[in-house]
Structure formats: structure tokens, C-alpha cells
Amino acid sequence: MRIIIGGDFSNELSGEPLAGLSSGNAEKVFDKNVLDLFKTADELAVNLECAVTESENRIKKFGPHLKAPFGTCKALKGAGVTFVTLSNNHIFDFGKEGVKDTMRELDKNGIKYTGYGKNEADSRKDYIIERDGLKIAVIDVCEHEYTYALENREGARPYDPYDTSDDIAAAKKKADYVIVVYHGGKEFCRYPSPRLYKLCRSMIKHGADVVLCQHSHCVGCYENFDGGHILYGQGNFYFIDKKAYGTEKEALWNNGLAVVLDVDKSGIKFTPVPVVMKDDMLYLAEGKEKDKILNGLYERGQTLADGSYVNGWRAFCETVPYYKTAVPPENADMLGHWLDCEAHYDVLRELYKTYNHTNELD
């Protein structure tokens, strides 16, 4: 059985409808070589990181609101996509109306979906693949950023260090293999934080066979840990940012990996296939471009083994000034204390609720 999983898929970052997606024609979105690769898959998935809607009913949040034109799901179907993951920080950008439109478009085109529910409990449903005498469970979760489900409101399936670990262990008792798609990590950082590093390894220990981290919008690191595959940063799959062309951001934003999983009773063969976005199309990377992406992936992976990845993480953090400027210097030590101690952190979470806790509550 072959499963191919792509990373973040969305419309143009500014919100301008892309002609290829609007047309619904897969050949105007994906190059022929990409489509030929897709044809080899028994199951093909992407992370649909936007609503497919014409709604203008934006929820209250910091950051961009992402949506794609009608025609998007038809293009995905034409490419062979069988299911999409929806647990991300943009699926609820246009509220319940946007999600309703998205699911209608997916249903109309015969594309299944996972990682979303009518409330938090309902969102914790795995996507099950049964083929060739094997059962595979896909667990799709996201970090807590505006669109995650609440006890009394629909939304994306949130990652929880306790619930998700329990869900992985339970899934492994019923399935031959477990794949976790984790939407989290820091944007534009090629290295995991120590927290992300530990939690991904923990998911392998609890029964996951593959952990794919998305959301960072750049290709990160890979390691094989305890026989499980961990990709800390899959990069964008198809997510156009026209302002990135010709800038330093292009090398990060326009590269990604299609993950090819060849599965049989003996195990899972993990093959990352580099892809690049050019002129609003997705291509397979070739030659030196392909080698550069893969070499970087594995070279950074070596830093995981010796622990030096934390240097890359720290260096990245030093380049993000707004975290420091947002806190007056005289309060920095106290903030560090509050964040460091679990009991203080619990109080902060209780007192300072985000917009997600009030967006479109019934």
C-alpha cells in the first residue's frame, strides 16, 4: 500500500484567488510529474490549511485569514486526493459558515476529511485506512491557535499531551500502524524546540509509527527514532506567496516535501520527495535543487542525535524580536518565572483567554 501525504495547502497568502484553483483544473496547479507521482498512491492527502468559501465573516484573531476559491476541491480531486487533514490554525478562519462551505465542497467532490468535530470530544476521531489486509489509523492534531474545538463549540482536533498520547496508544491496539499529523512548531524555524522534540519522541513511544510536523512553512529535520519516522517540518506543499518570489523568504517558503509511505506487513518505508513552487505551479524538485533540499534535511537531522539542534533553535529565537519588545524589561524575570512553573502557567491560561474561547459560541 502506498500513502502520499503533502504538507500545507492553501490559496495565495494575500487572499487573491489563484486562477488554477478557481478553474478546478488539477493540471493548472500540479505539474505532470507531480500528477504522475500522485497516480502511484492508494491514498493521497494534503493539509487543507484554509476554508474553501466566499464568506467574509472573519473570526477575531491575530494573523491572516485564509480562504480558497470554489474549484479548489475539484482540483484536489482531479489530482487524486482521497482525504484532507483539517486540524490546523486556519480551517475556522471564516467561522462556522466557512467550515460548512468547505465540507460541502469536499463532500461534493468525494474527498474525505479528518481532524475536525462538532466539539472537542467529537474531534478526537481517527481516520482509518483499511487495505491489503492492513489497518492504519491517522491522528490529525494541531496546537492551540484560534481554531481548535472547545467543549461546547466545533473546531479542529487539538493536541493535548495527555489525551493525544492516550489516543495514540488506543489506536495502536486496533491498528497495525499509526500516523500522526501534528500541526505545530514555530513558523520559519528549521529546528524543533526542545518541547516539540520531546513530544514527537513521546508520540513514537506511545505507538506512533510516523509523526509529520507541519505549519512551520519550511523543511526542517528528520530522524528515525525507536523504529519510528519523525519529520520536524514538512514545509509547504502548495501555498503561494507571490511576494516571496525573488526574496530570502523564497528558499524557505517555496520548498516542501511530499512524504511517500510504502506500507506492508514488514513495516513502513519512508521516502521524502522534494517539491518546489514556481509560477503558481507545484513541481518535483530535480538535480541540484533536489539534492540541496534533501542534504539540508539530513544534515540538520544529525544535530538531533548530538543535541546541537538546540543551538539552531536558540539562534532562531534570537531573530524574533517582538517576543522581547512585548514585555517591559522590568517584568521579564517575573514572566519567565510564571512560564517556567506549571502552577503559575495554569493560572495565566485561566485568566488570559484567547479570542478562540468566544469566537462563534452558540
Side-chain angles (χ1 to χ4, degrees), residues 23-305:
S23 72
N25 186 347
E27 294 180 353
K28 293 184 178 181
V29 180
F30 305 103
D31 177 66
K32 180 181 182 301
N33 291 335
V34 176
L35 292 174
D36 286 344
L37 174 65
F38 289 171
K39 290 176 183 177
T40 69
D42 298 298
E43 292 279 347
L44 174 62
V46 299
N47 169 52
L48 185 59
E49 194 170 11
C50 60
V52 180
T53 184
E54 293 181 349
S55 172
E56 294 296 335
N57 182 31
R58 292 171 169 81
I59 63 168
K60 192 173 184 180
K61 66 180 291 189
F62 293 103
H65 294 75
L66 302 181
K67 66 177 179 179
F70 292 131
T72 297
C73 294
K74 183 179 179 181
L76 290 174
K77 181 65 175 181
V81 170
T82 55
F83 74 99
V84 296
T85 54
L86 298 180
S87 186
N88 57 63
N89 58 309
H90 288 289
I91 186 60
F92 198 69
D93 277 1
F94 291 83
K96 297 176 182 179
E97 180 183 3
V99 174
K100 183 179 179 180
D101 289 344
T102 304
M103 291 183 173
R104 184 186 66 245
E105 288 296 302
L106 290 168
D107 288 339
K108 184 169 68 175
N109 288 279
I111 300 175
K112 298 179 181 179
Y113 42 88
T114 186
Y116 197 92
K118 61 185 179 182
N119 52 47
E120 183 178 1
D122 185 59
S123 74
R124 291 170 61 188
K125 293 179 180 178
D126 306 338
Y127 181 77
I128 303 299
I129 299 170
E130 294 188 81
R131 186 186 293 267
D132 301 336
L134 294 173
K135 178 181 287 189
I136 298 172
V138 179
I139 296 177
D140 180 33
V141 294
C142 66
E143 291 182 355
H144 291 68
E145 192 172 3
Y146 296 115
T147 70
Y148 62 94
L150 303 174
E151 183 179 354
N152 59 340
R153 198 211 61 215
E154 67 182 84
R157 182 178 184 172
Y159 168 78
D160 181 273
Y162 308 106
D163 291 342
T164 303
S165 295
D166 289 343
D167 291 346
I168 292 170
K172 193 54 182 281
K173 291 180 179 179
K174 300 178 181 179
D176 297 288
Y177 300 106
V178 177
I179 299 170
V180 178
V181 179
Y182 179 91
H183 196 84
K186 191 68 189 82
E187 296 99 322
F188 309 120
C189 185
R190 292 189 183 275
Y191 299 89
S193 68
R195 176 195 64 85
L196 183 60
Y197 175 72
K198 290 180 68 175
L199 81 82
C200 287
R201 285 185 159 209
S202 177
M203 288 193 284
I204 295 294
K205 291 178 180 178
H206 279 84
D209 299 281
V210 176
V211 177
L212 302 178
C213 297
Q214 301 175 343
H215 177 69
S216 64
H217 304 303
C218 62
V219 176
C221 315
Y222 166 83
E223 71 170 335
N224 186 300
F225 173 71
D226 277 2
H229 304 278
I230 306 176
L231 181 56
Y232 302 93
Q234 191 174 352
N236 286 327
F237 192 63
Y238 182 85
F239 194 162
I240 304 299
D241 180 6
K242 293 184 178 179
K243 292 183 178 179
Y245 292 131
T247 70
E248 292 182 0
K249 182 181 178 182
E250 183 173 0
L252 286 172
W253 186 271
N254 283 17
N255 298 336
L257 298 169
V259 173
V260 178
L261 303 174
D262 290 305
V263 187
D264 59 28
K265 294 182 179 179
S266 66
I268 298 178
K269 180 182 178 182
F270 184 102
T271 305
V273 177
V275 295
V276 294
M277 291 177 286
K278 298 177 183 179
D279 302 322
D280 300 351
M281 292 277 292
L282 186 72
Y283 298 85
L284 297 183
E286 298 178 345
K288 293 182 179 180
E289 190 171 36
K290 175 182 177 180
D291 292 341
K292 183 177 181 180
I293 295 171
L294 288 178
N295 290 340
L297 173 72
Y298 294 124
E299 287 172 4
R300 290 186 294 273
Q302 292 175 6
T303 68
L304 300 171

